[in-house]
């Protein structure tokens, strides 16, 4: 399976218990012909897979327990501190990650659920569906810690006398490194077992439940895989934890051009793109390091609150565009396949539309009517373009943009100049809050319905920097929540001065 291969390309050698391999070979043998088997034969094969699932789950719990008691507990004992290898003292949490939390979940919850449900395939499927979020949370954390654990372990070397003594007492044939890989092996094993159960199941409720369980575990696998790629990014200047959920990641050919020099079009380059809820990161894939792991060097990013999307580029069904306000910066992205391109376009569209839905009320509808959509159907439908003044990026607004998904409604370049939307009000005009708003981040201000404020400057589209009446402070607030107490339409020239404020 592709996801399995990607996850396991982290450079860790997989070592499987012989009995587990033997059971799986017996269960999977002849599965291709199962479609013509009668119900009794499928039931028998399904029973073998269920037995394997339960048996290997017990082995997995036992192995995790032995690692914790045979290694982690020994490392943390006060009387053993003098015998520890240099650099290991106080580093047990780095070496083992959240293995203890994994062990507790599987021993106290998941294994018990399986034991209660093993006689009914539908209930077994439900065990996976109900625990999906827990699987994702625990295994994402464990996999993200693997590089730290490995770096520490390489400084120790598994042949160190202390670790050798622990291994001998446990009777383990394999070193600690092999057992610390067990969680990665286990999360990939589940989807194989669920596929076998689905293959031998009858159509109907049972099949539907198993398909849902399989889909859940494939999502977990993808999330774990995405997490492994994310931690390989180097040199990124923003806090990835503040960019929302990682939605997609993948390798593309990207060519770029800027409005500053339309003659200059950077030749296509290989970039690994990470799509978050609040930003797109463009990274340069680097050669695998000494650990045989891929790394990605950060090159630049686009905030989702400031970009537009062109769904189709003439001449290639695999291409689409993302562009900054007014097409001042355009990136043409070529996907490996038309299917991958379609998936990315749909996800980006969903993010942009979801941003607008966060703002509610009549003010939002008016705001949307007065601005052009940032989603174009195709690049070849564009008419002659005219220069329009664009607000410069504002560093002081960056943090607030990162924490609020208000779309930057850039003017569609296919529109004529006379259709340009209404300019922002002039600096100093009086504003009134249309509804309550709770600030997200230190650079924003909260609003109360009916509260008065003064406009100080306009940042990226959709956000105004205001001073609240009565000395209640100042900061960024969404323009959709504010209305002018006195309408003031300014000229394009004064509009330019406003953005330079």
């Amino acid at each position: 399976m592709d996801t399995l291969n990607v996850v396991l390309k982290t450079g860790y050698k997989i070592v499987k218990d012989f009995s587990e391999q033997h059971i799986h070979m017996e269960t999977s043998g002849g599965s291709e012909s199962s479609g013509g088997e009668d119900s009794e034969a499928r039931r028998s094969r399904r029973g073998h897979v269920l037995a394997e699932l339960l048996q290997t789950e017990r082995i997995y719990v036992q192995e995790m327990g032995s690692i914790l008691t045979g290694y982690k507990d020994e490392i943390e004992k006060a009387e053993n501190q003098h015998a520890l290898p240099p650099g290991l003292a106080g580093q047990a949490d780095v070496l083992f990650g959240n293995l203890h939390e994994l062990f507790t979940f599987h021993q106290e919850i998941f294994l018990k659920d399986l034991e209660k449900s093993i006689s009914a395939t539908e209930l077994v499927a439900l065990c996976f569906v109900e625990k999906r979020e827990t699987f994702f949370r625990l295994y994402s954390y464990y996999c993200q810690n693997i590089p730290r654990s490995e770096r520490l372990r390489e400084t120790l070397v598994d042949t160190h006398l202390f670790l050798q003594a622990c291994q001998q007492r446990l009777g383990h044939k394999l070193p600690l490194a092999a057992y610390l890989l067990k969680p990665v092996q286990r999360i990939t094993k589940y989807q194989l077992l669920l596929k076998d159960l689905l293959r031998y199941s009858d159509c109907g409720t049972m099949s539907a439940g198993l398909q849902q369980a399989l889909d859940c575990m494939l999502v977990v696998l993808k999330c774990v895989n995405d997490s492994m790629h994310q931690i390989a990014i180097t040199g990124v200047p923003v806090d990835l934890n503040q960019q929302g959920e990682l939605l997609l990641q993948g390798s593309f050919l990207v060519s770029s051009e800027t409005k500053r020099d339309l003659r200059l079009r950077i030749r296509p380059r290989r970039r690994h793109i990470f799509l978050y809820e609040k930003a797109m990161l463009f990274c340069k894939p680097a050669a695998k390091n000494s650990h045989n792991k891929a790394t990605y060097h950060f090159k630049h990013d686009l905030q989702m609150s400031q970009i537009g999307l062109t769904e189709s580029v003439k001449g290639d069904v695999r291409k689409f565009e993302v562009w900054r306000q007014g097409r001042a910066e355009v990136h043409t992205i070529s996907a490996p396949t038309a299917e991958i391109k379609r998936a990315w376009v749909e996800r980006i569209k969903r993010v942009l539309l979801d941003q607008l839905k966060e703002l509610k009320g009549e003010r939002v509808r008016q705001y949307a009517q007065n601005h052009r959509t940032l989603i174009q159907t195709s690049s070849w439908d564009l008419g002659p373009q005219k220069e329009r003044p664009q607000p410069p990026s504002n560093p002081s607004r960056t943090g607030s943009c990162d924490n609020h998904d208000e779309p930057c409604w850039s003017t569609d370049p296919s529109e004529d100049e006379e259709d340009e939307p209404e300019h922002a009000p002039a600096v100093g005009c009086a504003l009134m809050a249309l509804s309550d708003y709770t600030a997200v981040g230190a650079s924003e201000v909260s609003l109360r319905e009916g509260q008065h404020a003064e406009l100080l400057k306009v940042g990226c589209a959709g956000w105004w920097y205001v001073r609240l009446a009565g000395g209640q402070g100042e900061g960024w607030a969404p323009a959709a929540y504010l209305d002018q107490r006195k309408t003031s339409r300014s000229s394009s020239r004064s509009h330019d001065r406003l953005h330079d404020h």
Side-chain angles (χ1 to χ4, degrees):
M1 175 189 171
D2 291 341
T3 308
L4 171 62
N5 291 333
V6 172
V7 173
L8 299 181
K9 280 181 181 178
T10 54
Y12 307 107
K13 182 181 178 182
I14 292 196
V15 185
K16 293 198 174 189
D17 182 57
F18 173 77
S19 62
E20 185 175 336
Q21 285 184 347
H22 185 63
I23 292 172
H24 184 64
M25 288 194 309
E26 288 183 343
T27 305
S28 301
S31 61
E32 293 181 358
S33 61
S34 62
E37 295 175 342
D38 59 25
S39 180
E40 187 60 36
R42 290 198 300 273
R43 185 181 300 110
S44 176
R45 287 181 176 272
R46 194 165 63 245
H48 282 89
V49 179
L50 290 172
E52 180 186 0
L53 172 61
L54 184 58
Q55 177 187 358
T56 54
E57 184 70 17
R58 288 169 174 162
I59 293 173
Y60 177 47
V61 169
Q62 181 183 1
E63 287 175 339
M64 283 195 294
S66 67
I67 296 170
L68 292 169
T69 57
Y71 285 99
K72 190 171 186 289
D73 290 352
E74 292 297 319
I75 290 173
E76 293 178 334
K77 285 182 179 178
E79 60 267 28
N80 290 338
Q81 297 305 300
H82 69 283
L84 294 180
L88 184 56
Q91 297 297 307
D93 288 339
V94 174
L95 185 60
F96 298 98
N98 63 331
L99 187 66
H100 189 275
E101 193 176 3
L102 278 173
F103 170 70
T104 302
F105 165 68
H106 281 272
Q107 182 188 50
E108 300 297 329
I109 300 175
F110 193 67
L111 177 56
K112 291 182 177 179
D113 286 350
L114 285 180
E115 289 173 336
K116 295 176 183 177
S117 309
I118 203 65
S119 60
T121 307
E122 297 92 333
L123 295 179
V124 169
L126 194 60
C127 291
F128 287 94
V129 175
E130 290 181 339
K131 302 299 186 297
R132 176 181 59 182
E133 296 302 325
T134 304
F135 271 110
F136 169 55
R137 177 177 60 84
L138 295 180
Y139 281 90
S140 291
Y141 183 91
Y142 187 84
C143 289
Q144 289 176 20
N145 184 70
I146 284 178
R148 297 176 62 218
S149 175
E150 188 187 51
R151 285 193 295 269
L152 174 60
R153 198 167 59 248
E154 287 181 347
T155 65
L156 308 174
V157 184
D158 283 341
T159 56
H160 189 280
L161 293 178
F162 181 85
L163 298 179
Q164 275 189 332
C166 292
Q167 181 181 340
Q168 290 173 358
R169 281 194 298 270
L170 290 168
H172 285 178
K173 296 179 181 179
L174 304 172
L176 175 62
Y179 284 93
L180 289 178
L181 186 58
K182 290 292 183 179
V184 179
Q185 293 176 261
R186 191 59 182 166
I187 201 64
T188 57
K189 179 73 172 177
Y190 286 132
Q191 55 89 21
L192 297 176
L193 293 169
L194 287 169
K195 282 183 177 178
D196 281 343
L197 286 175
L198 187 59
R199 184 181 298 122
Y200 302 132
S201 68
D202 299 318
C203 296
T205 305
M206 178 189 300
S207 178
L210 285 170
Q211 185 62 58
Q212 187 179 8
L214 175 59
D215 291 343
C216 288
M217 295 315 295
L218 290 176
V219 168
V220 173
L221 263 178
K222 178 189 177 299
C223 292
V224 169
N225 179 37
D226 288 347
S227 297
M228 300 285 286
H229 280 275
Q230 177 178 273
I231 60 177
I233 304 175
T234 62
V236 59
V238 297
D239 184 358
L240 295 182
N241 293 325
Q242 299 298 320
Q243 305 310 310
E245 179 186 351
L246 175 59
L247 304 175
L248 292 170
Q249 55 83 24
S251 181
F252 300 86
L253 283 176
V254 180
S255 59
S256 305
E257 64 182 20
T258 64
K259 187 174 287 188
R260 287 174 297 180
D261 189 348
L262 294 177
R263 297 167 300 175
L264 176 62
R265 185 177 181 87
I266 301 176
R267 61 180 176 82
R269 299 184 180 186
R270 179 64 58 183
R271 290 291 182 259
H272 203 93
I273 302 177
F274 295 83
L275 174 63
Y276 292 86
E277 291 176 308
K278 300 181 182 179
M280 287 182 70
L281 269 59
F282 293 75
C283 301
K284 179 181 179 181
K288 291 185 177 180
N289 57 23
S290 59
H291 303 293
N292 197 35
K293 298 181 183 64
T295 56
Y296 309 102
H297 296 323
F298 173 84
K299 301 302 291 185
H300 67 95
D301 69 314
L302 295 173
Q303 291 297 312
M304 297 304 291
S305 62
Q306 298 179 357
I307 74 166
L309 169 70
T310 305
E311 298 183 36
S312 299
V313 176
K314 189 174 185 179
D316 196 331
V317 297
R318 299 172 302 161
K319 289 182 178 179
F320 63 99
E321 292 177 341
V322 291
W323 37 273
R324 206 186 291 272
Q325 303 170 1
R327 295 179 69 86
E329 174 185 334
V330 181
H331 303 277
T332 303
I333 301 173
S334 180
T337 67
E339 290 73 20
I340 293 177
K341 173 248 178 151
R342 193 156 41 244
W344 276 70
V345 166
E346 289 303 316
R347 200 59 189 262
I348 293 173
K349 285 169 61 177
R350 196 183 316 164
V351 171
L352 298 180
L353 295 174
D354 286 347
Q355 289 177 354
L356 182 60
K357 291 178 182 178
E358 289 191 0
L359 299 178
K360 301 176 181 179
E362 182 62 28
R363 176 62 174 164
V364 175
R365 287 190 289 273
Q366 294 175 357
Y367 187 72
Q369 290 171 0
N370 291 333
H371 292 74
R372 300 296 179 260
T373 179
L374 46 63
I375 300 175
Q376 299 168 207
T377 302
S378 59
S379 62
W380 59 91
D381 290 336
L382 301 181
Q385 299 181 29
K386 299 182 180 181
E387 284 290 327
R388 295 190 181 95
Q390 295 297 325
S393 59
N394 193 315
S396 65
R397 174 67 194 112
T398 302
S400 187
C401 279
D402 291 349
N403 287 300
H404 193 91
D405 289 331
E406 212 286 312
C408 174
W409 292 102
S410 347
T411 305
D412 189 322
S414 64
E415 298 296 329
D416 293 328
E417 187 76 28
E418 59 265 25
D419 292 331
E420 187 172 0
E422 179 179 341
H423 291 310
V427 169
C429 78
L431 304 171
M432 184 175 69
L434 297 171
S435 180
D436 292 348
Y437 171 74
T438 302
V440 181
S443 62
E444 297 182 15
V445 290
S446 295
L447 303 174
R448 297 190 313 275
E449 183 176 353
Q451 188 173 22
H452 293 172
E454 177 188 0
L455 177 64
L456 299 183
K457 58 183 173 182
V458 173
C460 58
W463 286 88
W464 293 345
Y465 195 87
V466 301
R467 179 186 294 124
L468 300 179
Q472 296 298 309
E474 60 183 53
W476 294 98
Y481 278 78
L482 296 163
D483 195 17
Q484 296 174 245
R485 296 173 61 197
K486 293 182 180 180
T487 302
S488 174
R489 296 175 57 96
S490 59
S491 65
S492 297
R493 185 174 302 172
S494 64
H495 180 61
D496 294 339
R497 290 199 301 270
L498 172 61
H499 283 295
D500 292 334
H501 178 75

